[in-house]
Amino acid sequence: MVSSLPHPTTAAGRDGLAALLARPEKAVVALDFDGTLAEIVPDPERARAHPGAVPALAALAPRVAAVVVVTGRPAGVAVRYGGFAGVPGLDHLVVLGHYGAERWDAVTGTVQAAAPHPGVASVRAELPGFLDRIGAWPGVWIEEKGRAVAVHTRRAEDPQGAFEALKGPLGDLATHHGLVLEPGRMVLELRPPGMDKGVALADYLRETGARSVLYAGDDLGDLPAYAAVEKLRSDGTPGLLVCSAAESSAVPDLAARADLTVPGPAAVVGLLAGLAEAMAEEPADGQGA
């Protein structure tokens, strides 16, 4: 029931939650991966979805129009780290990887992808020497993301200092190769322009004809998706914005715009399970007619 779910702090969020529950078959539930379905870990290759994520998604997905994971990771990596493939009940799951440049559908189990941007290959080749020349801080490391390249400062002795020192030079390098720089929490990603979670989410919502949407994220890269939901709300489509973060570690710009803040992936999983339970107890209007 609605009373068992967390209570959004804004009127728009309460309207969004009500719309999700009233007509779940027209709702899309959209989720970031790292920090939202999976805990942030020092080594991104060791990230895995919370143990309760797949059961919660399998309970929720059959009741909504779609569940979509929107991530900067390659789609296949997110599927593997999430454990999403071949799960009964997840036929309505889609993963939009590389900010929508790749798409995995549970129904087919295949990935569709656009042609890669040539600037990424150029940056990939140049970046190690570039960091050496500018005197990169010890502990800074490069993550290969296929259609993007990321520089992490989380392991540096002064993570924030390294982040601030590298942001300008890496921004210049990205521009030189026709890319953009996307800052996150102790990570700087160089990726093609025109790729962000807002574009990917808006395109998918148009495709599905969604009448309501929930979006949950945890970092600066989720702000474009927040903006897409806010635009939809201004046009009359209800939406609920969820920030996945403990209060002490919330990204201020994201938390300030969220309708609901929950303390990390375990709480996101609880929210998804609660939605599935509420939808099971209160069938959508018109269903079964």
Side-chain angles (χ1 to χ4, degrees):
M1 297 177 66
V2 177
S3 60
S4 67
L5 293 168
H7 191 63
T9 59
T10 67
R14 291 189 289 273
D15 289 345
L17 178 58
L20 287 162
L21 295 175
R23 297 195 67 187
E25 78 283 2
K26 293 292 185 181
V28 168
V29 174
L31 307 151
D32 169 49
F33 186 75
D34 292 281
T36 302
L37 288 176
E39 296 286 353
I40 296 292
V41 293
D43 182 353
E45 293 185 1
R46 294 184 177 276
R48 296 295 184 269
H50 184 278
V54 167
L57 290 172
L60 179 63
R63 304 185 183 280
V64 297
V67 173
V68 56
V69 176
V70 189
T71 175
R73 286 186 181 272
V77 171
V79 171
R80 189 164 66 251
Y81 291 1
F84 301 140
V87 177
L90 285 187
D91 291 350
H92 290 184
L93 179 70
V94 170
V95 176
L96 301 178
H98 282 307
Y99 306 96
E102 294 182 352
R103 173 170 171 162
W104 177 87
D105 287 89
V107 173
T108 63
T110 60
V111 175
Q112 297 176 329
H117 190 291
V120 175
S122 299
V123 161
R124 183 182 299 118
E126 184 176 343
L127 193 53
F130 178 85
L131 291 175
D132 287 342
R133 288 195 303 276
I134 64 172
W137 300 43
V140 168
W141 62 283
I142 300 168
E143 180 189 6
E144 169 55 53
K145 302 185 71 173
R147 293 171 182 267
V149 183
V151 177
H152 292 262
T153 68
R154 188 173 289 113
R155 298 177 188 168
E157 184 176 340
D158 179 1
Q160 188 63 43
F163 179 89
E164 295 299 335
L166 291 173
K167 187 159 55 173
L170 289 177
D172 292 340
L173 179 66
T175 300
H176 178 71
H177 289 285
L179 305 177
V180 296
L181 186 72
E182 178 73 34
R185 283 191 287 180
M186 302 305 110
V187 61
L188 296 156
E189 182 171 304
L190 295 84
R191 58 174 174 78
M195 291 171 49
D196 67 41
K197 293 181 180 181
V199 172
L201 179 61
D203 287 349
Y204 186 75
L205 294 176
R206 280 192 294 270
E207 175 189 329
T208 57
R211 301 294 297 273
S212 63
V213 58
L214 177 154
Y215 184 82
D218 77 306
D219 205 349
L220 294 173
D222 296 300
L223 287 172
Y226 268 39
V229 173
E230 290 164 347
K231 175 64 167 60
L232 285 169
R233 295 202 295 204
S234 71
D235 293 337
T237 299
L240 174 62
L241 293 170
V242 179
C243 177
S244 169
E247 292 296 335
S248 61
S249 63
V251 174
D253 290 346
L254 201 71
R257 289 165 64 174
D259 305 305
L260 176 65
T261 296
V262 298
V268 172
V269 168
L271 172 62
L272 298 175
L275 284 171
E277 182 180 355
M279 290 172 181
E281 292 177 355
E282 300 183 24
D285 293 343
Q287 285 190 330

